[in-house]
Amino acid sequence: MSSDKGADRPAGPALQCDRVVAGYGDAPVVREVSLTAAPGRVLCVVGPNGAGKSTLLRALLGLVRVRQGTVTLGGKDVTNKPLEELARSGIGYVPQGEDVFDTLRVTENLDMGGFILSRAERQARMDAVLDIFPALRRLTRRYAGTLSGGERKMVALARVLMSDPDVLLLDEPTAGLAAELTRMVLEEQVRLLAGLGKAVLLVEQKAEAALSVADDAAVLVNGQIALTGTGAEVLANEDVGEIFLGGAGRGKGWMQSMWAGSAGSAGTDGTVHSTGIA
């Protein structure tokens, strides 16, 4: 896989945060974080449990108040803007876990993703999204709750594409998935989003798998950026093992242990029913 996976893509707006401080109550969780998610590239944020990864995403989305610093989209200040306004500005979000409506059919899930569009626009956009994810065409009448883990994730990503966002924020899209489905979601679906020219900010606990598909990467520890570089550079960095495991293991071995620890036991649909790492 090329080290410049996002080359020659259409230029869209970048999402940037500059020295962002955010948290709950009086205690900051995210401290002085600066990052850029560029169009046509995957920016992966990894870090140990409790590092502040999901809080960072929620701060970018206006769900946790940014106390200091700024968030900009294409140079426009969107700090602490409501989620609906951000959606209309071109930001899409796939949360961890409850990312589809189980009691709705696939087409109805996609319809929900196009809530800011007119009926005619929604139908045209649905056709375009199904062209992007052709495997969903045979599933359109199925209820989301009857789908496998990988199929559900495809529906979640397709739904967020209904509004044709410029930037996508993905919170642990492989949570609960076994290794084979994890690779499929990251290597096929997430890379596809960047291939469409989207700026993708990916937060992941399965560090080795995520870094292997990332163009750019940052390691978050105790709410602060501890390391940045390309995905390959961070993946190869010996110090990353110490950041995660306090020096227990060097090189790729720590990542394999961490990934195995999150694997749990997989069911017949590839969904993990017991995970060691959230």
Side-chain angles (χ1 to χ4, degrees), residues 166-225:
D166 296 305
V167 178
L168 290 163
L169 275 58
L170 312 180
D171 191 0
E172 298 196 26
T174 70
L177 298 184
E180 183 177 350
L181 284 178
T182 290
R183 291 188 183 95
M184 181 193 75
V185 168
L186 294 175
E187 294 178 7
E188 298 178 16
Q189 298 177 11
V190 173
R191 284 303 328 168
L192 173 63
L193 300 176
L196 296 171
K198 311 296 183 185
V200 180
L201 198 166
L202 167 68
V203 161
E204 256 299 339
Q205 191 68 30
K206 298 175 183 176
E208 182 175 18
L211 291 171
S212 69
V213 303
D215 300 291
D216 310 300
V219 179
L220 194 67
V221 179
N222 294 327
Q224 296 178 299
I225 299 296

Side-chain angles (χ1 to χ4, degrees), residues 18-151:
D18 182 31
R19 302 177 69 84
V20 162
V21 176
Y24 309 91
D26 294 329
V29 176
V30 173
R31 306 183 188 98
E32 302 278 331
V33 169
S34 298
L35 292 171
T36 298
R41 298 180 71 84
V42 175
L43 166 63
C44 178
V45 179
V46 297
N49 286 335
K53 302 184 299 295
S54 291
T55 300
L56 172 61
L57 278 193
R58 292 175 63 82
L60 298 179
L61 292 163
L63 300 174
V64 172
R65 185 159 189 82
V66 173
R67 301 176 184 180
Q68 298 176 33
T70 57
V71 180
T72 59
L73 176 64
K76 177 184 177 182
D77 191 343
V78 294
T79 311
N80 292 322
K81 296 295 185 183
L83 190 56
E84 182 174 345
E85 183 174 338
L86 293 177
R88 294 183 183 279
S89 298
I91 296 178
Y93 172 50
V94 178
Q96 180 185 350
E98 301 298 323
D99 51 6
V100 296
F101 298 99
D102 285 347
T103 59
L104 297 182
R105 299 181 192 273
V106 169
T107 49
E108 293 170 328
N109 268 274
L110 298 187
D111 231 15
M112 294 288 286
F115 74 97
I116 64 175
L117 306 176
S118 68
R119 182 180 297 274
E121 288 172 331
R122 279 201 306 273
Q123 186 56 56
R125 186 61 190 159
M126 189 178 298
D127 289 339
V129 168
L130 291 175
D131 284 341
I132 295 169
F133 293 107
L136 286 182
R137 287 195 179 275
R138 61 180 176 81
L139 303 174
T140 52
R141 301 303 298 164
R142 291 268 302 274
Y143 288 99
T146 69
L147 302 179
S148 71
E151 290 167 343

Side-chain angles (χ1 to χ4, degrees), residues 148-150 176-179 181 266-272:
S148 71
L177 298 184
L181 284 178
T268 56
D269 66 353
T271 302
V272 174

